[in-house]
Amino acid sequence: DTPWCSPIKVKYGDVYCRAPQGGYYKTALGTRCDIRCRKGYELHGSSQLVCQSDKRWSDKVICKQKRCPTLAMPANGGFKCVDGAYFNSRCEYYCSPGYTLKGEQTVTCMDNKAWSGRPASCVDMEPPRIKCPSVKERIAEPNKLTVRVSWETPEGRDTADGILTDVILKGLPPGSNFPEGDHKIQYTVYDRAENKGICKFRVKVRVRRCGKLNAPENGYMKCSSDGDNYGATCEFSCIGGYELQGSPARVCQSNLAWSGTEPTCAAMNVNVGVRTAAALLDQFYEKRRLLIVSTPTARNLLYRLQLGMLQQAQCGLDLRHITVVELVGVFPTLIGRIGAKIMPPALALQLRLLLQIPLYSFSMVLVDKHGMDKERYVSLVMPVALFNLVDTFPLRKEEMVLQAEMGQACNT
């Protein structure tokens, strides 16, 4: 009755035995035992054992814990496991700073010796970091419309591998002269994974202004710089036959107010009551050119023809700031005339003597704005020839530029 085989014990497994028919002991000769391993374990050896006549079981068996394949280490990351790669072990993936986990963060070794999720990877999805300077606000210097603005070029920093491929600037580079207004500056930086980081800031340039001035009626205005910015100067002048009253030049000051007083152009009032010819000429200094027409008698043919031509060319005379002075007759019946104003005979005689004009023949003298005797004529002169000469004077060239800007011209 002694058992033939020793009792079977399988760690992490269960044994189910069947004795031969009529047998009492489950270890007797011929007994068959089925071996089953518990969940998470696998059988090494035969699944059924038979008690043999040599009192030994037909095989040796063991239940070993199941093991999953070793996990691959993700690039730029790793994993930690509770119990290695054995059944029911939980492994948690992690990534290096700057990288984001893609896939299952936690996987478990299952009974089928496979991991519960797909292998995770670490990818660079975080954009690089770049910090721009704060807003740059600048005020233009006197008489200038731009400001040179500089800043340190911002450096990008990649949170993953630290390697950047491109830094792109949109806008004017540092050290540029920025005009008035708001200017957007943007830096874009890319890393090797083509993630991009952006930073923006503004450059604000302000031009201090006094407000625009207007040219006086019957006059011109010429301004420096932009015409109304701090430091700009505006100069004023009048067309022929008008005198400037007020400030000839005004400056836009730091308090954003114009210096001086508002100029006006008043019609020139010639005083023929002066005592000397020099005092008479002084009234025209730097204001008008003079064409003095002298004749011993009003019946002189040259005088009458010349006067007729000049009257038809009045627009050209006005455009060139030429005042016609007539000296007609011989003292004491000598008459001097400037437009509608009549000079006393003594003043007209003084003018002839001062300019050394012949008393008994037709002649003309052209005097410039500085009182200089520029040309003398003893016969008729065509207005076009007179005008061509005047147009060569230095002061006249400046006048022509101003008149062109104002659109002043004669039709013929």
Side-chain angles (χ1 to χ4, degrees), residues 64 157 206 241 290 330 347 369 375:
K64 284 187 176 181
R157 184 172 66 86
R206 188 161 63 90
L290 298 178
V330 179
L347 185 61
K369 287 187 177 183
E375 190 62 83

Side-chain angles (χ1 to χ4, degrees), residues 130 132 151 154 167-172 183-190 196-202:
I130 185 168
C132 280
W151 62 86
V167 178
I168 300 171
L169 167 65
K170 186 177 180 182
L172 291 174
H183 306 271
K184 295 179 182 178
I185 308 296
Q186 176 179 300
Y187 281 93
T188 305
V189 62
Y190 292 88
K196 71 176 179 179
I198 296 175
C199 72
K200 302 176 184 178
F201 69 102
R202 290 177 180 269

Side-chain angles (χ1 to χ4, degrees), residues 8-15 33-49 59-66 111 113:
I8 299 176
K9 288 185 178 179
V10 180
K11 193 175 183 180
Y12 306 116
D14 297 314
V15 181
C33 293
D34 293 326
I35 310 301
R36 295 177 185 171
C37 292
R38 295 172 189 167
K39 189 175 183 180
Y41 293 82
E42 59 185 353
L43 182 67
H44 287 252
S46 300
S47 60
Q48 190 178 75
L49 302 181
D59 198 1
K60 288 184 178 181
V61 297
I62 186 172
C63 285
K64 284 187 176 181
Q65 193 173 9
K66 291 181 179 179
D111 189 53
K113 294 198 291 185

Side-chain angles (χ1 to χ4, degrees), residues 220-238:
Y220 311 110
M221 178 178 71
K222 185 177 182 181
C223 298
S224 66
S225 195
D226 202 33
D228 67 342
N229 55 303
Y230 172 37
T233 300
C234 290
E235 297 176 341
F236 304 92
S237 57
C238 297

Side-chain angles (χ1 to χ4, degrees), residues 66-119:
K66 291 181 179 179
R67 185 178 181 127
C68 290
T70 303
L71 290 172
M73 188 72 70
N76 304 303
F79 57 82
K80 292 179 182 178
C81 297
V82 176
D83 190 18
Y86 290 107
F87 168 71
N88 227 24
S89 175
R90 293 174 71 253
C91 294
E92 190 171 317
Y93 286 100
Y94 61 86
C95 292
S96 302
Y99 291 88
T100 302
L101 189 71
K102 190 174 183 181
E104 299 286 341
Q105 183 176 4
T106 304
V107 294
T108 303
C109 180
M110 300 186 296
D111 189 53
N112 63 355
K113 294 198 291 185
W115 294 99
S116 59
R118 295 178 63 185

